[in-house]
Structure formats: structure tokens, C-alpha cells
């Protein structure tokens, strides 16, 4: 895609420029166009591709510039390069630069735009004109926006959108890795309905949320025990406790801030803890029996972030900015200290699709080779668990990596030889009652995504990689019960031994 | 406190009233004043205390009424009593009531108002005049507000505020129950600082939030094991899983909606899951590196409720509206499935005061006698744990019940003989480094508060009571380490055996 930048800006000086200074400025501009702006530009690059001052004038203490460029020494980069140079050359007149005022900033992109492409809609894009293979943007930019390279990021965003629009029709990647074949089935009903009928669980008062009775909890804890005995202990994972409220700062570094928004439960904080500030809210409830939601909205700040979505990002601040010693790698840890929340589509679904769920998150990091090896060993252990202990009808498949799907990315970049191993493997179980496959857990090799985002390095200088595997207890339960039913007599020995007799604590009239 | 109500309202009829109907209306009013409004009123009550129509007239299809009362057959009750009566008596003219328009509603309260008293500020209080011992309120009321008894609730609210203002100076109740006496101390530093120094934990990126390394997590799990072995198993508690996002519907029934607002982490939901609706938010981040919080605010609904605050309210919808069989009582359960969150005051505090924490919540319900007995047995077991296993320097004290403190209540009402046992016992441990006592857990007998709020009954007809006890793992850890220090050699045998050697997983350069 061809790109063109054009800007108009004033350098504001500490005093009016005397004639000698204007003359010096002219020389500096001529030299910048001829020398400085061409530094680092490949030989043979056409002139029109390189940043240059195309017009200038002086009015009192203002040096007005018009700069244009293609992809080399982009107009905004040229501006700051020139600022440095002209500040030095006019210093001898005791003149200093007091500020930069940007009056116009235009970006023109030329290339093939798929029909599905929509230009971005952002507060600093004043005007967008899209005709055929030309996209013209008029931006409202401050000098600090230009220094923060906002124009470059807008160009990259548009290129991503073009790519996504072209890719749109192709759907997600899915490639079978393993298939268990048929297993004994003892049930063809919706397991959630049967669990409700037997009092194993009951829908809670928020959407996609359940209260688990003793029996359902016994099953969760039995699965947890299997995960401990067969995966966590043999592979040497150690428990940590990751926070469950996730502030933006974490999602900015983990990349989730790129696109996770539609499924987040957002968290807001009180503007103050002063009881007097909140008195009218409680009073309103006491008088009407209703909670004044609109009034509360005015009294809260944020959102400051959201509820745990992916579980592993919250770990990374623990080692953020650190260089990890070679001999403590690979680091192998897990967390099971709380709930995850996703805003799923409305209506009541079974426990296979919930807004609030319980997951054991396994996380490891090390060199690329160590990371890949642990993923391979995890796959072996999961195979054992699902084949020999749970006796499930399941399959696994390589799919679009979760972080690409969640962040709206199209391609992942890697600078390492193991690059082909980066990605997600989903485990799916067959649900006889709905004749469909349910993703019930995954294993992901995330490459250097997190170490890069949180600035974590390895002592040896090797690239730091990480992986994660989420074990969803609701999903395991849904898969297991859908195939085996709720009568423990049909359950494989390990599960029925660990669960014991389902406890019937409650009797209602 | 003396109370006076006065209202002006129109009954809107389906057609203009003919002269005969007006005459009948007059008779009905006269009869209401003489007979209906006096039903249920104690003999000898002065006339001015009883509801009566003081003026009326007819204009087309409007029957305009002015009603006044003291505390008996209050003006709004009189209005609805009269509506029923006049609808019957004018029915023979083929006239029906189409609606009620309330034009004025005034409440006057006379009594002693403490200096600290502030009148409530609510959207339907148009004007408040407070002079000396007279408080005058002008309300904006609809007929349905009157039917919902909003005026009565406003009077009750004002009486509560008067009571709270008188009570204000007296502080919270605190009455020593048990004191362990001195125990061996091996540490006089802030345990959190030492934990950080040794890499046991690290502050996370949100306020009052920590990431627990392996060593801290080992201690949490050791305490959890002690709670299982010494309390949960011997006393027969069974695990359940309570939801951790709490919608208003739960806090309305649990009473927290009365006053918990200053400390809540609020939860909001996306207006839609449509990715196109959220595209600009992700684009903004991609271009600026910042999350556009104000833009997100416009795209979310709610708050729909908040994060888990008290842990046990979320259980109750499991048995809401049920009558529980005698022979399954007492129900004894617990939950340890996720985090609790409180918006504490700002700044970084140690793990003894955190915004995000981990608690094992023990809950029981049954008859009053069963509930009290379990609380007594819990106290015995806790005594054993803190005296013999953790060897803590601790004390316990009867304090203002938590729900009264949280809901801004002054007095609890009970209709049962065990009433004197309702309340909270706090367990406090001595912190040598700050020379202060830390509340590290509690046991509460909540009377019929929850069963009433969630409409739970017992088969026998006995009053249903419940109790709860929150075991805060951060608080146990803070108390234990503050007294014993971080060197396992000084720890009591049970704890050091369960913890094992603190795992040093991470080494940083």
C-alpha cells in the first residue's frame, strides 16, 4: 500500500526572527532537505518518497513549515529532526523554540481496499474520504501525538483492517490433531437439566451464573484432584495466587486491550468512601425498595478494568521487568484461586456456556524449546486423563491462537525457529444430546507475547517464551456428564471413587 | 414523634359526574369519615389523629379530595380505602375510576431532632423545611408511590436518622469475651515488608491487590488444611460453590442494599456484544496505547451489582422460597471458590488491609437453638486452633453485628427467645510491629435476617435462623507472621509441617 503524509506546522520562537536568523533558517531547511532527511534512506529511493520541506515562511516569531513525505523520513519524523537542527542553528541569535503548533495533517493511502473494509472512526480523524483505491484522512494532531507516532499507528491500523476484511470470509483455522473414537455413552439428555432436576445446582440471580450444590461441587473437586495427581504434580507445577480484578495496565501489556471489550464485565470504583456521599443511595432503597442505578452511575469512577477473563495475564506483574536466571527455568506454576467472567450472549444456557466459571490455569515460561517441550508433555498427560481416566469421546485440533482471535489479530509474528509451534490446541468433547462438539480446554504456546509485553528477559539472552493451559471445571463437567450421565454406576472407576456418593444435603417440601 | 399527613388528589372518572352521582359521592365521603376510616383505630383516639376527607368538590369527571391524618388511617391509606368504596357506590351510574392524580403530599413531623440530624435528600422530596422541633416535607408522589407506602417508609427513614444522630457519639459496641494472654513472639517487624523482601509476594497493579508467590500460597493452603481438619470435617460442613458476582437482586434481599455502597467494586456490562460497536475502542488503544475510559463508559450498562463483599448472600437463592424439611437441619456448608473485594482507603497497605482477599466462608442454618449451638461449637474449635495449633496471642469480643454496621442500622429486632445471642464475635490478634489488634475472623449469629429476606421456612414452623463465619486467609497470615516471623524454625509444629519448606521458584538477576 502506497502512503503519503503532508503536514503544516509552526515552530514558535522565543522572539521575532531578525533578518539574519531568517536567512540562517533558509539555509538549514535547504540542508535538511538535501542531507538530514536522506539519512538512513536506501539509495535510489525516489525523491517524492522522502520527507522534505516544500514551503516555508516566517511571520514574527513563527516559522511556518509545510512538510510532505512518502514512507521514508515521514513528514512528522522530518519535523522533529528539523526542530533539533534549527534549534541549534538559530541558538546563536539567542532564539529558543517555545512550542510547535500543528495546523494540518493529512494521510493518503493508495492500494486495494476490499469491499468489507471500513475506515476507522476515531476522535482525531476529522475527515475521511474514500474513493476507489484512494483513502484520504485529515487528522487533528498535537505535537505530542506526532511524537507518539500516532500517524504511523493509524497507517498500521488501516493496513490491519484491510487485511482483516480480506481474511473475513475465510473463517477460523481448524486442523484435527487427534480423535479418540467412540466411547461408551450412557446418556443422551442435557446434563444441566438433569442436574437441576436432581438438585445438584440451581441458577443464580445474574446471567450465566449457577450456585453449585454439594454434588456438583464434589465433581469439580474430583476433577481438580485428577488434575493435581496426573498433571500438576507429575509435571512439577507449583501453586500461586493470581489477582482476579484486572486493571487496564495489565490488559494494555497483555494485548487484551486491543479487542477484548465485547465480552468483559467492567469494574468501577466509588468516587469516594465518604458515607455522607452515599447516604441518598441507601435512603432511596430504604424508601422505594429499588436500587437507584442511574444515581449510582454518577457516583462511580472508571471503569478501571474488568473481571478476570483469561486468568494468566494477572500473573505477569510478578516478574515484570525482571531478568530470570537460567537455572530456575522453566518456571511452572498454576492458579485456581477464583472465578473468571465473560459476558456471553443472553438467555439461560447450560453449564457448558456460562458467564461465571471456575478454571485451573496452568502457566509456564522458559526458552522456546522448554516451552514447546512442556506443551508436548501436557498433551501426553491430558491424553492419558481423557482416554484412561475419564474415558471421554474427544478430539483435539490446532485452531486460531486465542490471543489472535481475542485481539482481532490476523497474523502472528515470530523471530524464532519454533515459530510454527506458536498457537492454540483446543480439546473438544462430543455432546450426544446436542450432537455437537464442546471445547472443554486448551493448550497454548504464546511465543514471546507475554515476556515482551511485560518486559521479561532470560539471563542467557535466549528469547523468553510462555505457554498456558486453561482447565474449565464447568466444561469438564458438562462434557463428562453429557456422555456418562448422572448415575455414578456408569462412571469410570477413578471418577466415581474420587466423587464418592453424591451428598443429598437439602430436602425441600 | 408526632406525624401528620395531608394530600390533595383527583379521582379521574370515565365520564362527567351527573348531579345524582355527586350527591352519592357526598354521602360516601360522609360515611367514610364516620365509619370506614375509623375501622381498626383504638377507641379514644383523638379525631385529628385519624384520616378524614376535609374538603372535596367535583369538576366534570374529576372528584377532587383533600385528606388529612395523623398516625391512624394515614391520608394515603384513607385515599385507597375510599377509592374502593366510592367505586362501588358510583358503579350504579356506570362510572368507573380511570386513574388517580396526586397534586400535593405533605408530611409534618414534630419531635426532638438532634443537632447532627440531616433530613434525607431524595428525588421525590420537593421541599424540606426544618425549624426547631418541626420538620415539614413536600413530596412529589404518584398514586403508585402511595400504594407502595413510600410516605410511611420516609417517616421510618427519618426516625432512623434521628436515632442514628442521637446514637452517633456513642461509638461501636465492644465487649471482651476471651483473652489468650501472652504467647512467644519471634518478630517485631511488618510481615508484609519482609514477605516482599523475600519474594513471597509482590504488589499487583490494582489497589490493595497482591500476587502471591509459592511461599505465601503454601501458607494459605496450610491454613486451609487446618480449617478442613479441625473445623469443617469435625463439625460436618459440606462444600458448595457460591457465585462471586452479586446482582442487586441478592443485596436487596440480604439487606446490603441499605448501605454497603461506599466499599463496593461495581460491575457494569457491555450494552452489546456486537464487535462493530466496540471497534473504535480497540482502534483507539491500537493508535494511542491508551484505553479510552470515557468512551467505554458510554458503551456500558449498569452497574448491575458488584463484586463479592460478604460471600454468604450469594448462597441464599439456592433455597429461596423453599420450606426446608426438619430432618435435614441444621444445614452446614462452606464456600472457598473465589475472591472478595472491598474498596478500602487508598495507598498501599500490607496484607492485613487489602481490597482483594481470599476467605473461607462457613454458613449454617436451622432452628434458633441449632444455630446457636453450632456457633458455640465453632468457638470451641477456633479456640483449639488458635491456642494449640497456631499458638497465637489473640482475644475475642462481642461487637456491633456486622450487618447492622454495614447497613447503617441501629437496633436489631427479634421475635425469638435466643435474641440476646444474635450478633457478631470478632477474633483479634496482636500485631507486635504496630502494637495494635487485628480483626482476623468472626462468627456471627444472624437471627432470621437471611431466611426472612429470601423467604426460607422450616417444615416445623419454627423460626429459621442462620449464622456465618468468615475465615480471611490474608488476615490469618498477617496475624501469624506478625507474631511468629518468616523463619519456619520458629513456627508451631503443625504449621511448619503443613507448609513444608518455602519453595524458592524464582531467581532474578
Amino acid at each position: 500500500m502506497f502512503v503519503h503524509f503532508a503536514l503544516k506546522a509552526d515552530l514558535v520562537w522565543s522572539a521575532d526572527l531578525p533578518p539574519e536568523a531568517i536567512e540562517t533558517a533558509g539555509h538549514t531547511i535547504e540542508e535538511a532537505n538535501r542531507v538530514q532527511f536522506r539519512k538512513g534512506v536506501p539509495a535510489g529511493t525516489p525523491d517524492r518518497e522522502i520527507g522534505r520541506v516544500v514551503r516555508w515562511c516566517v511571520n514574527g516569531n513563527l516559522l511556518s513549515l509545510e512538510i510532505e513525505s512518502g514512507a521514508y523520513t515521514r513528514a512528522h519524523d522530518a519535523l522533529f529532526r528539523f526542530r533539533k537542527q534549527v534549534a541549534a542553528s538559530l541558538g546563536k541569535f539567542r532564539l529558543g523554540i517555545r512550542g510547535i503548533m500543528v495546523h494540518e495533517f493529512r494521510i493518503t493511502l493508495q492500494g486495494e481496499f476490499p469491499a468489507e473494509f471500513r475506515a476507522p472512526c476515531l476522535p482525531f480523524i476529522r475527515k475521511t474520504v474514500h474513493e476507489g483505491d484512494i483513502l484520504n484522512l485529515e487528522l487533528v494532531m498535537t505535537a505530542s501525538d506526532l511524537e507518539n507516532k500516532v500517524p504511523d499507528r493509524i497507517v498500521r491500523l488501516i493496513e490491519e483492517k484491510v487485511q482483516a476484511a480480506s481474511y473475513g470470509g475465510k473463517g477460523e483455522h481448524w486442523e484435527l490433531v487427534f480423535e479418540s473414537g467412540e466411547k461408551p455413552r450412557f446418556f443422551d439428555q442435557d446434563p444441566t437439566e438433569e442436574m437441576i432436576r436432581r438438585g445438584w445446582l440451581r441458577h443464580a440471580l445474574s446471567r450465566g451464573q449457577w450456585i453449585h450444590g454439594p454434588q456438583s461441587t464434589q465433581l469439580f473437586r474430583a476433577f481438580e484432584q485428577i488434575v493435581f495427581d496426573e498433571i500438576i504434580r507429575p509435571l512439577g507445577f507449583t501453586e500461586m495466587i493470581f489477582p482476579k480484578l484486572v486493571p487496564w495496565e495489565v490488559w494494555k501489556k497483555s494485548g487484551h486491550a486491543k479487542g477484548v471489550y465485547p465480552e468483559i464485565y467492567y469494574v468501577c470504583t466509588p468516587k469516594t468512601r465518604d458515607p455522607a456521599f452515599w447516604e441518598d443511595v441507601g435512603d432511596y432503597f430504604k424508601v422505594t425498595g429499588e436500587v437507584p442505578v442511574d444515581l449510582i452511575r454518577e457516583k462511580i469512577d472508571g471503569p478501571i478494568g474488568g473481571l478476570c477473563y483469561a486468568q494468566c495475564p494477572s500473573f505477569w506483574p510478578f516478574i515484570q521487568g525482571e531478568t530470570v536466571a537460567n537455572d530456575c527455568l522453566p518456571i511452572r506454576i498454576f492458579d485456581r484461586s477464583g472465578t473468571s467472567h465473560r459476558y456471553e450472549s443472553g438467555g439461560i444456557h447450560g453449564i457448558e456456556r456460562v458467564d461465571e466459571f471456575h478454571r485451573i490455569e496452568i502457566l509456564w515460561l522458559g526458552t522456546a524449546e522448554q516451552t514447546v517441550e512442556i506443551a508436548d508433555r501436557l498433551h501426553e498427560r491430558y491424553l492419558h486423563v481423557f482416554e484412561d481416566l475419564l474415558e471421554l469421546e474427544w478430539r483435539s485440533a490446532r485452531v486460531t491462537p486465542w490471543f489472535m482471535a481475542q485481539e482481532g489479530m490476523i497474523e502472528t509474528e515470530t523471530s524464532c525457529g519454533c515459530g510454527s509451534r506458536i498457537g492454540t490446541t483446543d480439546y473438544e468433547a462430543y455432546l450426544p444430546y446436542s450432537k455437537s462438539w464442546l471445547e472443554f480446554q486448551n493448550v497454548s504456546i504464546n511465543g514471546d507475547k507475554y515476556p515482551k509485553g511485560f518486559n521479561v528477559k532470560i539471563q542467557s539472552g535466549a528469547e523468553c517464551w510462555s505457554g498456558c493451559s486453561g482447565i474449565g471445571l464447568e466444561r469438564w463437567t458438562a462434557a463428562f456428564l453429557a456422555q456418562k450421565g448422572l448415575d455414578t454406576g456408569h462412571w469410570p472407576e477413578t471418577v466415581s471413587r474420587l466423587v464418592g456418593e453424591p451428598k443429598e444435603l437439602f430436602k425441600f417440601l
Side-chain angles (χ1 to χ4, degrees), chain A:
Chain A
M1 192 158 284
F2 172 83
V3 65
H4 181 262
F5 299 91
L7 71 79
K8 293 186 187 174
D10 294 342
L11 297 187
V12 185
W13 295 89
S14 50
D16 288 0
L17 273 61
E20 308 79 37
I22 297 175
E23 195 179 332
T24 305
H27 293 309
T28 311
I29 288 168
E30 187 272 331
E31 199 190 324
N33 279 345
R34 191 164 42 80
V35 183
Q36 275 84 1
F37 294 164
R38 290 176 174 267
K39 281 190 181 152
V41 176
T45 304
D47 280 1
R48 67 172 186 284
E49 283 287 291
I50 305 167
R52 66 217 170 274
V53 176
V54 293
R55 253 177 301 280
W56 68 279
C57 68
V58 171
N59 197 344
N61 69 331
L62 299 182
L63 168 55
S64 302
L65 300 163
E66 294 185 30
I67 310 182
E68 294 187 12
S69 80
Y72 297 93
T73 312
R74 296 176 170 195
H76 41 296
D77 296 330
L79 174 66
F80 294 109
R81 216 180 273 186
F82 175 71
R83 174 181 62 175
K84 199 174 164 192
Q85 199 187 344
V86 75
S89 60
L90 296 202
K92 62 182 169 210
F93 303 101
R94 297 179 164 269
L95 290 163
I97 296 173
R98 289 289 170 265
I100 300 179
M101 294 190 301
V102 185
H103 301 295
E104 275 187 40
F105 199 101
R106 278 178 297 116
I107 303 178
T108 308
L109 287 142
Q110 184 171 17
E112 201 179 323
F113 293 93
E116 293 76 15
F117 169 80
R118 293 284 169 275
C121 177
L122 288 166
F124 29 66
I125 301 181
R126 192 208 312 257
K127 193 175 163 190
T128 303
V129 180
H130 183 195
E131 277 182 313
D133 63 346
I134 303 273
L135 180 68
N136 241 303
L137 303 177
E138 259 183 60
L139 308 185
V140 184
M141 289 279 109
T142 64
S144 101
D145 291 334
L146 298 186
E147 271 188 301
N148 290 334
K149 300 199 167 291
V150 170
D152 305 288
R153 293 205 186 115
I154 289 176
V155 169
R156 197 183 319 134
L157 176 67
I158 289 167
E159 287 170 349
E160 269 178 40
K161 284 182 185 295
V162 166
Q163 206 184 3
S166 327
Y167 180 90
K170 295 180 197 158
E172 294 211 333
H173 177 73
W174 191 95
E175 182 197 338
L176 187 68
V177 174
F178 176 89
E179 203 162 19
S180 73
E182 288 197 9
K183 294 282 166 62
R185 296 180 193 165
F186 301 99
F187 199 60
D188 61 358
Q189 303 298 304
D190 178 348
T192 306
E193 282 177 17
E194 183 62 13
M195 290 173 88
I196 294 169
R197 211 184 56 73
R198 296 194 188 198
W200 287 21
L201 47 70
R202 198 159 171 173
H203 204 278
L205 300 189
S206 192
R207 65 190 262 162
Q209 190 191 51
W210 298 86
I211 310 172
H212 293 269
Q215 310 92 330
S216 180
T217 306
Q218 283 172 280
L219 202 54
F220 274 32
R221 293 302 169 229
F223 289 148
E224 200 171 67
Q225 194 61 51
I226 289 174
V227 172
F228 281 10
D229 295 343
E230 303 294 336
I231 292 153
I232 281 170
R233 243 172 261 144
L235 299 193
F237 287 89
T238 297
E239 187 171 8
M240 284 183 61
I241 294 177
F242 307 163
K244 292 289 167 280
L245 188 163
V246 189
W248 297 126
E249 211 48 49
V250 169
W251 280 334
K252 281 159 74 173
K253 293 180 206 290
S254 73
H256 285 87
K258 288 183 191 161
V260 82
Y261 307 97
E263 292 193 339
I264 289 300
Y265 276 93
Y266 295 88
V267 175
C268 296
T269 48
K271 279 192 200 296
T272 158
R273 297 178 77 236
D274 176 8
F277 178 76
W278 287 98
E279 195 172 349
D280 55 345
V281 176
D283 285 352
Y284 186 94
F285 172 73
K286 287 176 188 170
V287 165
T288 64
E290 293 303 326
V291 173
V293 172
D294 291 335
L295 181 56
I296 293 173
R297 248 181 116 85
E298 293 167 17
K299 289 173 182 271
I300 57 180
D301 280 332
I304 59 166
L307 295 184
C308 173
Y309 179 86
Q311 203 153 337
C312 65
S314 289
F315 156 72
W316 288 89
F318 194 81
I319 58 170
Q320 179 177 337
E322 300 282 5
T323 299
V324 187
N326 295 332
D327 62 1
C328 75
L329 293 175
I331 294 285
R332 283 155 293 176
I333 52 178
F334 73 98
D335 167 77
R336 48 149 183 163
S337 67
T339 49
S340 297
H341 301 254
R342 296 191 176 191
Y343 190 74
E344 296 283 354
S345 55
I348 291 189
H349 308 284
I351 57 160
E352 73 275 10
R353 181 140 64 107
V354 286
D355 284 41
E356 176 169 336
F357 58 99
H358 302 80
R359 174 171 50 191
I360 304 172
E361 180 80 354
I362 293 179
L363 191 162
W364 61 101
L365 61 116
T367 63
E369 294 74 17
Q370 288 170 332
T371 305
V372 168
E373 198 209 325
I374 289 174
D376 288 341
R377 296 201 57 198
L378 269 174
H379 284 303
E380 287 166 26
R381 300 302 304 171
Y382 284 134
L383 180 94
H384 166 62
V385 168
F386 302 136
E387 283 295 282
D388 306 332
L389 304 185
L390 268 54
E391 300 175 15
L392 286 182
E393 196 166 326
W394 65 287
R395 66 188 186 189
S396 63
R398 295 258 302 169
V399 299
T400 310
W402 65 263
F403 52 89
M404 290 173 53
Q406 280 173 15
E407 296 172 15
M409 289 165 70
I410 295 307
E411 271 179 6
T412 175
E413 295 149 30
T414 161
S415 54
C416 155
C418 300
S420 68
R421 294 296 309 277
I422 291 179
T424 296
T425 303
D426 273 351
Y427 285 68
E428 304 177 346
Y430 189 68
L431 304 181
Y433 86 94
S434 63
K435 297 187 175 55
S436 64
W437 291 86
L438 174 70
E439 182 205 323
F440 68 102
Q441 77 156 41
N442 61 50
V443 174
S444 288
I445 297 174
N446 302 323
D448 66 356
K449 176 178 168 54
Y450 285 115
K452 229 174 168 174
F454 290 89
N455 189 26
V456 176
K457 293 190 169 53
I458 294 182
Q459 180 183 17
S460 68
E463 207 168 61
C464 185
W465 275 31
S466 76
C468 62
S469 176
I471 295 167
L473 295 175
E474 278 82 356
R475 292 284 172 101
W476 276 42
T477 300
F480 182 80
L481 294 183
Q483 293 184 18
K484 306 300 178 191
L486 277 74
D487 292 327
T488 56
H490 290 138
W491 292 0
E493 192 274 335
T494 308
V495 179
S496 59
R497 177 173 48 78
L498 286 171
V499 168
E501 200 54 44
K503 286 192 196 168
E504 302 296 335
L505 218 60
F506 296 88
K507 267 192 281 176
F508 302 126
L509 297 195

